[in-house]
């Protein structure tokens, strides 16, 4: 990211000068971390990208290109890039659906999108929440909407290219962090390494590279299984992500096999929570019951996949109803 000549070489610089350099830069790092974290929590991805990008650059200069701190900065930067790309992708998917509903989708675009898995499908609503994460309380946060005018076809093409660039940039940044983190052998570093592999899998899922996603999720699972209890919800989350990758890669049997592991882990966790009378365990038991219901629903859905509607096979009555519905969207 930066010239290695600009890095602080602690082996050659006197202790007092090294300490002075660190003392000067640490407040800057803290400020960038605070700004980036706040922006990320608010969904202000561009500001988060800018702050974390600067953070990664400064940590590389200060601590070196092999430093765990640099890897941490890269992960935050890559995560922000990924979320920004996902948001832009969702907006484009909504526009495509709206155009299809109103009949504004061109014949060529219809042919390209018919019957193909879309990125919009991956970001389905109701995905089980496997982790218990406390939400960040943000007071005095201003809510605003950015108004955007209509863009010409060339503008839309530029948006597509920017979206692809964000996914590619996220992959490159996270992959660099993966290389650095893979060299550490302590449990804390290895778990960070697994989290980075999960993020790489998420990038691949969004990019519809399901084979690569399955590879990264599998490797992350292998690492986490070495350090986490079998009833840990993080393992259930990874099994679920891996199952999704196989399902989208048209391997439903493997996906269903993995979903059995999801049910097993969550079931064990539920038994532990139910055996306790603590308030937090009672609340977790209720949450787990809901998650297990969602997982069971997803399993049934995969066992009986819906077939795409063949417009040409519609009866005259069904065709008339479809045309009526299309007309309603236009009104």
């Amino acid at each position: 990211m930066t010239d290695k000549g600009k890095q602080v070489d602690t082996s050659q610089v006197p202790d007092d000068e090294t300490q002075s350099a660190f003392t000067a830069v640490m407040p800057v790092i803290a400020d960038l971390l605070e700004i980036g974290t706040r922006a990320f929590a608010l969904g202000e991805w561009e500001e988060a990208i800018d702050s974390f990008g600067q953070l990664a650059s400064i940590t590389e200069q200060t601590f070196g290109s092999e430093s765990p701190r640099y890897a941490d900065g890269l992960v935050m930067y890559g995560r922000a890039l990924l979320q920004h790309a996902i948001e832009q992708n969702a907006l484009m998917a909504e526009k495509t659906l709206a155009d299809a509903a109103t009949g504004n989708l061109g014949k060529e675009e219809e042919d390209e999108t018919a019957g193909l898995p879309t990125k919009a499908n991956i970001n389905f609503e109701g995905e089980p929440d496997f982790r218990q994460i406390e939400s960040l309380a943000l007071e005095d946060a201003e809510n605003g909407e950015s108004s955007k005018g209509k863009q010409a076809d060339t503008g839309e093409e530029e948006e597509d290219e920017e979206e692809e660039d964000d996914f590619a940039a996220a992959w490159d940044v996270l992959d660099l962090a993966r290389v650095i983190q893979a060299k550490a052998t302590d449990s804390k570093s290895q778990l960070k390494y697994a989290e980075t592999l999960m993020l790489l899998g998420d990038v691949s899922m969004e990019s519809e590279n399901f084979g690569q996603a399955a590879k990264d999720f599998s490797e992350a699972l292998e690492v986490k299984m070495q350090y986490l209890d079998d009833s840990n919800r993080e393992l259930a989350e990874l099994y679920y992500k891996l199952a999704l990758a196989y399902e989208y890669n048209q391997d439903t049997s493997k996906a269903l096999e993995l979903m059995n592991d999801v049910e097993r882990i969550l079931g064990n966790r539920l038994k532990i929570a139910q055996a306790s009378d603590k308030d937090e365990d009672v609340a977790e038991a209720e949450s787990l019951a809901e998650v297990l219901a969602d997982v069971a629903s997803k399993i049934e859905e995969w066992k009986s996949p819906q077939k795409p509607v063949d417009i040409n096979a519609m009866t005259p009555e069904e065709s008339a109803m479809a045309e009526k519905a299309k007309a309603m969207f236009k009104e």
Side-chain angles (χ1 to χ4, degrees):
M1 241 182 179
T2 60
D3 185 10
K4 291 184 178 180
K6 296 180 181 179
Q7 298 174 5
V8 176
D9 187 349
T10 58
S11 65
Q12 298 180 9
V13 180
D15 290 342
D16 57 345
E17 189 173 343
T18 301
Q19 185 61 42
S20 177
F22 285 172
T23 301
V25 79
M26 291 309 291
V28 178
I29 291 177
D31 287 343
L32 288 171
L33 180 59
E34 181 180 356
I35 294 171
T37 301
R38 180 180 176 83
F40 191 94
L42 290 171
E44 297 172 354
W45 309 125
E46 292 183 1
E47 184 176 357
I49 288 171
D50 181 63
S51 297
F52 289 146
Q54 292 183 56
L55 176 65
S57 179
I58 291 175
T59 51
E60 181 193 19
Q61 295 178 47
T62 306
F63 303 105
S65 59
E66 299 295 321
S67 166
R69 292 196 183 189
Y70 175 45
D72 290 344
L74 288 172
V75 171
M76 288 183 279
Y77 182 33
R79 193 193 301 267
L81 285 166
L82 172 59
Q83 291 301 319
H84 181 259
I86 289 174
E87 181 181 83
Q88 295 303 309
N89 185 43
L91 291 174
M92 291 299 296
E94 289 177 5
K95 182 179 183 302
T96 300
L97 289 173
D99 287 344
T102 56
N104 293 329
L105 196 65
K107 181 65 170 66
E108 182 177 347
E109 291 172 299
E110 289 180 353
D111 292 341
E112 291 178 353
T113 57
L116 294 177
T118 64
K119 298 174 187 174
N121 289 335
I122 298 171
N123 298 314
F124 61 86
E125 296 181 357
E127 178 173 345
D129 179 15
F130 294 99
R131 305 193 193 192
Q132 291 180 314
I133 305 174
E134 295 183 358
S135 60
L136 179 64
L138 296 171
E139 298 180 357
D140 300 326
E142 297 181 357
N143 295 323
E145 293 184 1
S146 58
S147 58
K148 297 182 180 179
K150 294 183 178 179
Q151 298 181 345
D153 291 341
T154 54
E156 293 177 356
E157 291 175 0
E158 290 176 358
E159 284 186 0
D160 289 340
E161 292 176 359
E162 181 180 352
E163 173 196 322
E164 293 175 0
D165 288 344
D166 275 349
F167 280 125
W171 173 270
D172 290 340
V173 169
L174 292 168
D175 193 50
L176 179 55
R178 176 192 64 80
V179 173
I180 298 171
Q181 292 171 333
K183 298 175 183 178
T185 57
D186 61 285
S187 60
K188 183 178 180 180
S189 298
Q190 281 291 293
L191 287 173
K192 284 185 176 182
Y193 170 60
E195 288 292 324
T196 301
L197 286 169
M198 286 178 64
L199 287 171
L200 284 167
D202 290 339
V203 174
S204 294
M205 287 292 287
E206 292 293 335
S207 303
E208 299 183 9
N209 187 354
F210 306 122
Q212 181 62 46
K215 180 178 180 296
D216 289 326
F217 289 148
S218 294
E219 189 172 349
L221 182 60
E222 290 178 5
V223 174
K224 288 203 172 191
M225 287 178 67
Q226 298 178 41
Y227 302 102
L228 301 180
D229 293 335
D230 190 52
S231 60
N232 194 297
R233 293 174 73 157
E234 291 185 28
L235 293 181
E237 179 189 23
L238 253 176
Y239 272 115
Y240 186 82
K241 285 178 176 287
L242 186 55
L244 277 180
Y246 276 107
E247 169 64 14
Y248 279 101
N249 208 31
Q250 309 301 315
D251 192 347
T252 302
S253 60
K254 181 64 176 178
L256 289 171
E257 179 183 330
L258 291 163
M259 290 295 270
N260 290 332
D261 288 310
V262 176
E263 285 190 310
R264 173 181 55 80
I265 294 172
L266 294 180
N268 291 339
R269 184 73 180 183
L270 179 59
K271 291 178 182 178
I272 295 173
Q274 289 175 334
S276 171
D277 56 359
K278 295 180 180 179
D279 292 342
E280 58 268 27
D281 291 330
V282 172
E284 184 182 11
E286 294 177 356
S287 173
L288 285 166
E290 294 177 0
V291 173
L292 279 166
D294 290 338
V295 170
S297 176
K298 183 59 64 177
I299 290 174
E300 289 303 314
E301 177 186 327
W302 289 354
K303 286 181 177 179
S304 305
Q306 295 181 352
K307 296 181 179 180
V309 177
D310 184 358
I311 298 178
N312 296 324
M314 284 184 175
T315 65
E317 292 79 8
E318 291 172 334
S319 298
M321 290 180 65
E323 289 298 324
K324 184 177 180 180
K326 184 176 179 180
M328 289 174 63
F329 278 109
K330 289 184 177 181
E331 292 178 356

